[in-house]
Amino acid sequence: MANRFANLEGSKKISEDFNNINIGFDRVQAEMDTKGTPADAQAKADAAKTAAIAAAAADLAAHKARGADEHPTAKGNAAGFMSAADKLKSDASTSAATPDTLMQRDAAGRAKVASPAAADDIARKAETDAVQSNLDSHTGDTVKHVTQAEHDKLNGITAGAEVNQNAFAVINDVEASSKSDTVIFVGGTGITVTTDPEGKRIVLTATGEATPGAHASSHITGGTDVIPDAVIGGSSGLMSGADAKFARQDGETKTGAQAKADAAEQAANEYTNQKVGEIVIDDASLTDKGIVQLSKSTTGDRDTIAATESAVGVVQGQVGNLAELQTTDKDNLVDALNEVFTHVDEGKEIVKTAVIVKGGTVAGTSPHSFAELAEGIGTISTATVIRGQQEVTGVFKENIQANDPIRTRYNIEKKNVTSNFTQNGQAVRFSPDNRYMAVSIAGSGISMFKRIGDEYSQIPFPSISEATRYMSFSPDSKLFAVPSIGAVSLRIFKIEEGDVFSEITGFIIPSGRSNYTDFSSDGRYLAVSLLDAPYIAIYKIEGGTFAKLANPSVLPTNGAYGISFTPNGDYLAVAHGGSNLASVYKRNGDVFTKLANLPDLPGTNNGFGLTFNHSGNYLFIGTSAAPGLIWYIRNGDSFTKVNIASQATNVIYDIRCSQDDKYMAIAMYSSPYMSLYDLKNGGFSKYPNPSVLPTGIGYGVDFSPDSNFLAIAHGSLPSLTLYDMRDAVYLISNDRSAISSSDVGLGYAKESGVAGEAKKIVKIWS
């Protein structure tokens, strides 16, 4: 190929054209030498840049040195720079009435000038207002102007009208026939008419046959024709002197008499109203008669209300037919109930004996309360006790035959759960009947799982479009409470046959955002923590209705989080923000009263996770910063803080204890996102982390009622991690030396099975 560096022929071999190739490379190198290296090029560019900057700077300095002569001042017909004088005028411009300055408008678009003096000065608002005021005054002057009424009057005068003419229209039935017609008065019999032109009078005098004289004296006492005085209830007549004196001096006019009568009536009414108002009829009480209001209510407890017949009928219907009682006494409800209580007390003693036989203890003295018996059942540390042996389920790690000797070890393995999660998990709770596992979704709704054998399968649940929080099941697993930070802060569902969840309505929904919930163990109360004031809401559950109780007199001082009842329902604890990160309330009837602040609480943290254990003697609190986990031992109303090694300085969102109080688990903000603790025999030690940890922030945690499973709801998919916590089971020889420190139990297999199967075993040591 031919070019300016070489002329190579494609048909020649490289060895034949080698010299031409060398010549071409030499020419390329020579041209490259003339071009310089990249460093040379950069140096030249830098030098050019420096020279250009220096030249520009020199030009700018020269331009500044030439000063004002460089650009001419603007003129009327040519653009240019503003002169110093014009700049002073512009800067001095103002909206005030300042002489010899440019006028400008103020922020409202107005400007001011001085008072006008010459005819061609600007008129101000003050001058125009004065003109308007004079015009208004002139317009309203009725002396200078005729009113509309006067216009109308003048318009009614016809042409030719005369001023002050003598005229009359009609006297009785005599009608004037001309503008100046005349009327003549004529005297009749015994009447004479005389005129007085100067006085402009006409005098009519009665004369009879002649001009009469005064005759009134003839009609009064001493006269010739006396008219008798008028008689009350009789003939009319003259007024007596006494009556005249009364009428003219002593008596009262009709108007005055009426006024006095009206005043008397008003005074009487006021007196009567006052006396009636002073009459007070008190409401009836148990000791005094009085006014009683009727009521149809059948649930009230007031002593000042009387029940109607319909209310009594409702109560009678609720009581039912006494004849249908399953007691010996059917005629008297008190005797029948006493008979029932007698049998209940006998049953309690039977239960107490059974608890003790199973290795448990019952606190208190007979007769025991159901709460004491429930706590006693909780002290039984075995699933099924057979003469000191514990029958449990374990996961075989190898093939084992029935009756083979075995040893067990602590085991926590991730269990797969099929779900359709698309958002982070917020909370998880198991139903007490071990039938359901519910997962709260941070974005919206609830995912419900049903347990069949050892597997959990997702089932339908009503749609909720709001972010749900820490829900809870009632102790009988028939109610499900779902709090939310959305518009509907609390939903309660009734669980019916066929896995049907029906929403209950008609109760007062808390104002603000709901956070955590908890039912009391007897199912009579539901407590809800709130992120907004009043920060706590408590409901009493009766006959399927939820009645919101009055708020405690002392409320948390900031947003509330974890909330938990003791098993007997006598104490309620709530974690919250503010100066104290948790508060404990004691229940008396339906009244919850705050106890003294817990001792040794950190003053700056928020309380998040919180729970009592199932025996009610431990209270665990998770905080927003170190120490992270706080532990109290409860003895009645007294709480004693336990000093523990810092096991979790993380933010702890949720805390739960297993039903047998063997385990305590926490869900937390940072890795490992969950931790599991051993609470056996009053101790507190952390188990090793499972081999597979949650994949994001741990928000919720819970144990299945049989303590076989542990669930963690967390951030990032798959949003839920479920662990199988049943002991790992291995074969062991009868040699004592085969026992190691890792073993947590010894016993024998009750069933045969292969590796991976969960089978019954009997532990005779643990």
Side-chain angles (χ1 to χ4, degrees):
M1 59 184 175
N3 54 51
R4 58 194 178 90
F5 296 112
N7 186 14
L8 304 179
E9 296 182 13
S11 59
K12 288 185 177 182
K13 297 179 181 180
I14 293 177
S15 59
E16 296 174 350
D17 219 4
F18 184 75
N19 289 333
N20 287 332
I21 293 174
N22 287 336
I23 293 171
F25 278 120
D26 291 340
R27 292 175 177 174
V28 170
Q29 183 62 50
E31 183 168 325
M32 290 178 62
D33 292 341
T34 63
K35 300 298 182 181
T37 65
D40 295 336
Q42 183 62 49
K44 293 177 180 178
D46 292 342
K49 176 181 177 182
T50 301
I53 293 173
D59 291 342
L60 179 59
H63 176 74
K64 291 180 178 180
R66 289 191 291 272
D69 295 336
E70 184 71 7
H71 297 283
T73 303
K75 296 181 175 58
N77 59 354
F81 278 2
M82 176 185 285
S83 68
D86 290 343
K87 182 67 168 62
L88 290 174
K89 290 179 182 180
S90 175
D91 291 345
S93 63
T94 177
S95 60
T98 304
D100 299 326
T101 58
L102 294 177
M103 180 190 296
Q104 70 174 16
R105 293 181 178 87
D106 62 14
R110 298 188 294 265
K112 293 178 174 57
V113 296
S115 174
D120 55 354
D121 284 350
I122 296 175
R124 304 176 306 172
K125 184 175 184 297
E127 282 72 44
T128 59
D129 285 348
V131 173
Q132 182 64 46
S133 177
N134 292 334
L135 177 60
D136 292 342
S137 177
H138 177 74
T139 302
D141 190 341
T142 57
V143 176
K144 297 182 177 65
H145 298 280
V146 178
T147 65
Q148 183 64 44
E150 291 170 333
H151 271 295
D152 295 341
K153 181 178 179 181
L154 293 173
N155 288 337
I157 299 175
T158 59
E162 299 179 20
V163 179
N164 298 328
Q165 67 185 42
N166 299 323
F168 73 93
V170 176
I171 298 177
N172 291 345
D173 59 350
V174 179
E175 186 175 345
S177 58
S178 66
K179 296 180 179 179
S180 58
D181 207 349
T182 302
V183 176
I184 298 173
F185 291 87
V186 179
T189 301
I191 300 296
T192 61
V193 178
T194 59
T195 61
D196 182 7
E198 293 182 3
K200 299 183 183 300
R201 296 184 303 168
I202 298 174
V203 180
L204 303 177
T205 304
T207 61
E209 296 297 329
T211 302
H215 64 280
S217 59
S218 63
H219 298 305
I220 61 176
T221 303
T224 58
D225 186 17
V226 177
I227 300 174
D229 293 342
V231 179
I232 297 174
S235 302
S236 59
L238 294 177
M239 177 185 289
S240 67
D243 290 343
K245 182 176 182 295
F246 176 82
R248 296 175 183 175
Q249 297 180 8
D250 303 334
E252 182 62 87
T253 64
K254 287 185 178 181
T255 302
Q258 184 64 48
K260 290 181 178 179
D262 292 343
E265 180 183 13
Q266 181 177 355
N269 289 337
E270 291 176 353
Y271 177 80
T272 302
N273 292 338
Q274 176 185 352
K275 292 302 181 182
V276 172
E278 291 174 354
I279 300 174
V280 177
I281 303 177
D282 295 329
D283 292 340
S285 68
L286 296 177
T287 57
D288 298 312
K289 298 177 181 179
I291 298 174
V292 180
Q293 181 181 349
L294 299 179
S295 172
K296 294 177 63 177
S297 173
T298 61
T299 59
D301 58 0
R302 293 171 291 180
D303 292 328
T304 58
I305 302 297
T308 62
E309 181 181 347
S310 62
V312 175
V314 171
V315 173
Q316 181 62 43
Q318 293 173 342
V319 172
N321 187 356
L322 296 180
E324 296 178 359
L325 285 170
Q326 301 299 312
T327 57
T328 303
D329 194 323
K330 303 180 185 298
D331 298 327
N332 186 287
L333 184 59
V334 173
D335 292 341
L337 288 175
N338 288 338
E339 183 179 336
V340 171
F341 277 112
T342 299
H343 289 303
V344 169
D345 289 340
E346 293 172 354
K348 288 180 178 179
E349 289 302 313
I350 294 173
V351 173
K352 175 183 177 181
T353 302
V355 170
I356 294 173
V357 169
K358 298 296 184 182
T361 59
V362 179
T365 59
S366 298
H368 293 283
S369 67
F370 284 111
E372 289 173 336
L373 293 175
E375 290 186 358
I377 293 172
T379 63
I380 300 174
S381 60
T382 59
T384 302
V385 177
I386 306 174
R387 295 182 181 178
Q389 299 177 356
Q390 182 182 13
E391 183 180 302
V392 296
T393 302
V395 178
F396 285 9
K397 293 301 181 180
E398 53 190 319
N399 297 343
I400 301 175
Q401 299 298 315
N403 300 317
D404 281 349
I406 54 95
R407 62 182 177 184
T408 63
R409 292 183 176 178
Y410 163 75
N411 181 56
I412 177 168
E413 292 184 351
K414 183 177 181 299
K415 182 178 178 63
N416 292 328
V417 177
T418 302
S419 65
N420 58 1
F421 294 128
T422 58
Q423 300 182 64
N424 294 342
Q426 180 66 46
V428 60
R429 292 292 185 262
F430 289 91
S431 63
D433 63 1
N434 218 1
R435 187 175 183 182
Y436 301 106
M437 176 180 66
V439 181
S440 170
I441 305 303
S444 62
I446 295 289
S447 291
M448 187 66 66
F449 294 82
K450 183 176 181 179
R451 180 175 178 176
I452 302 175
D454 290 339
E455 302 300 323
Y456 288 88
S457 300
Q458 194 164 356
I459 61 175
F461 187 82
S463 175
I464 299 176
S465 60
E466 298 165 328
T468 56
R469 304 290 284 179
Y470 293 82
M471 60 286 174
S472 60
F473 289 92
S474 62
D476 60 4
S477 300
K478 293 182 179 179
L479 297 173
F480 181 54
V482 180
S484 167
I485 58 175
V488 182
S489 61
L490 179 65
R491 291 178 172 86
I492 302 175
F493 296 88
K494 183 178 180 181
I495 306 175
E496 301 174 301
E497 291 296 329
D499 304 325
V500 176
F501 292 79
S502 303
E503 187 168 358
I504 296 173
T505 58
F507 62 94
I508 299 174
I509 296 175
S511 59
R513 300 163 293 168
S514 296
N515 208 355
Y516 290 67
T517 59
D518 191 37
F519 285 91
S520 62
S521 59
D522 58 8
R524 295 181 60 199
Y525 300 95
L526 169 64
V528 184
S529 68
L530 309 172
L531 290 173
D532 308 293
Y535 306 121
I536 187 172
I538 305 173
Y539 295 85
K540 185 175 183 180
I541 307 170
E542 290 183 312
T545 62
F546 293 78
K548 186 179 181 302
L549 300 180
N551 293 330
S553 58
V554 179
L555 293 166
T557 57
N558 214 320
Y561 296 88
I563 196 164
S564 178
F565 281 102
T566 54
N568 60 12
D570 287 347
Y571 297 89
L572 175 67
V574 57
H576 54 77
S579 58
N580 293 292
L581 54 78
S583 297
V584 178
Y585 295 86
K586 185 175 182 179
R587 183 181 64 83
N588 183 10
D590 294 338
V591 177
F592 289 77
T593 303
K594 184 181 180 301
L595 299 180
N597 291 336
L598 293 170
D600 303 321
L601 281 174
T604 58
N605 298 353
N606 286 335
F608 284 157
L610 177 146
T611 191
F612 282 104
N613 68 340
H614 290 277
S615 296
N617 57 339
Y618 293 166
L619 173 62
F620 295 102
I621 306 172
T623 66
S624 60
L629 183 64
I630 302 175
W631 177 18
Y632 287 94
I633 295 178
R634 182 184 70 85
N635 183 9
D637 295 350
S638 177
F639 289 79
T640 303
K641 187 176 180 182
V642 181
N643 293 321
I644 57 175
S646 180
Q647 299 289 340
T649 58
N650 231 311
V651 178
I652 300 175
Y653 289 115
D654 200 17
I655 308 176
R656 302 289 282 182
C657 294
S658 62
Q659 187 70 39
D660 56 10
D661 279 341
K662 178 181 178 181
Y663 302 108
M664 187 270 285
I666 62 175
M668 52 194 178
Y669 179 79
S670 302
S671 179
Y673 308 120
M674 61 81 66
S675 288
L676 181 66
Y677 297 89
D678 185 352
L679 299 181
K680 291 193 304 292
N681 303 318
F684 185 87
S685 59
K686 184 179 181 301
Y687 283 106
N689 291 332
S691 58
V692 179
L693 288 167
T695 55
I697 299 173
Y699 290 111
V701 61
D702 199 19
F703 294 92
S704 62
D706 56 12
S707 303
N708 286 346
F709 296 101
L710 171 64
I712 311 293
H714 53 78
S716 76
L717 299 178
S719 306
L720 175 75
T721 299
L722 183 65
Y723 295 101
D724 189 335
M725 297 186 61
R726 291 172 291 193
D727 285 349
V729 181
Y730 300 88
L731 275 171
I732 190 174
S733 66
N734 290 328
D735 187 353
R736 182 176 179 181
S737 62
I739 303 174
S740 72
S741 60
S742 299
D743 296 330
V744 296
L746 295 176
Y748 63 91
K750 191 172 182 181
E751 299 176 305
S752 298
V754 299
E757 286 187 318
K759 293 293 183 178
K760 295 288 186 182
I761 63 172
V762 176
K763 294 170 67 174
I764 59 176
W765 169 83
S766 62

